[in-house]
Amino acid sequence: MMTVAWGSIGCMWNRPFAQIVVRPQRYTMEYIERSDCFTLCAFPEKYKQNLLHLGTVSGRDCNKLADTPFTLMASSSVLSPSYEEASLILECRKMYAQNMDPQCFITDTASKVYPEKDYHRIYFGEIVKAFGV
Ligand SMILES: Cc1cc2nc3c(=O)[nH]c(=O)nc-3n(C[C@H](O)[C@H](O)[C@H](O)COP(=O)(O)O)c2cc1C
């Protein structure tokens, strides 16, 4: 699992979607690639430091979940797990994935975010279940 901030929620191809962007070096990407689904979990403010931890340490180097109070649980409609402490859970089935193409950047707003040329991979997931407030 990893912390994500960039993305969007909307309607596409007549389906509700959550869209995320993942850099190729993330360990989590290997799991997303192997699976046909992913979950997005939002947490109460008191877990901010835990989310920072999950967003700065890689699961390649340690069992970072063990350093948090988060409890894995089965999701209802997808195989990807969720977390009991989440206040909002979006269960998503992957619909579309594409590597960002730097030739398509129109201004330098986007290109200046990639000094290492580690362009994100974009995923659109159909929201098949949503729980929470
Ligand atoms: C607040 C926050 C938001 C982040 N958003 C993203 C994101 O949208 N996409 C991304 O690829 N990485 C994002 N990251 C970085 C990953 O969460 C971080 O590199 C993480 O350690 C990857 O873990 P992994 O290697 O176990 O997958 C974010 C980190 C933080 C702290």
Side-chain angles (χ1 to χ4, degrees):
M1 91 298 290
M2 59 178 260
T3 306
V4 291
W6 291 357
S8 61
I9 292 175
C11 180
M12 192 68 200
W13 306 299
N14 299 320
R15 296 284 190 275
F17 77 80
Q19 171 258 324
I20 55 171
V21 292
V22 181
R23 292 197 197 242
Q25 62 268 42
R26 309 299 186 225
Y27 187 46
T28 305
M29 179 187 264
E30 296 181 21
Y31 289 85
I32 298 176
E33 281 298 301
R34 269 191 255 141
S35 178
D36 68 348
C37 49
F38 60 86
T39 59
L40 286 172
C41 300
F43 294 85
E45 180 76 21
K46 65 177 178 177
Y47 295 114
K48 196 170 174 179
Q49 286 307 316
N50 301 118
L51 295 174
L52 204 54
H53 174 69
L54 295 173
T56 47
V57 172
S58 177
R60 254 193 214 99
D61 304 322
C62 64
N63 178 3
K64 60 181 175 175
L65 180 61
D67 301 328
T68 75
F70 298 145
T71 316
L72 274 172
M73 67 175 190
S75 299
S76 75
S77 298
V78 297
L79 284 177
S80 306
S82 304
Y83 296 92
E84 281 181 18
E85 293 78 9
S87 48
L88 174 73
I89 299 172
L90 302 179
E91 297 185 3
C92 301
R93 191 168 306 287
K94 284 190 318 190
M95 291 196 285
Y96 182 83
Q98 184 176 30
N99 295 332
M100 214 168 265
D101 180 353
Q103 293 197 356
C104 296
F105 293 149
I106 294 166
T107 68
D108 68 356
T109 306
S111 58
K112 66 186 179 193
V113 177
Y114 303 99
E116 310 293 331
K117 303 196 184 317
D118 54 345
Y119 305 108
H120 285 103
R121 186 161 171 79
I122 307 161
Y123 296 94
F124 280 77
E126 178 182 351
I127 301 172
V128 291
K129 277 273 167 60
F131 300 95
V133 287

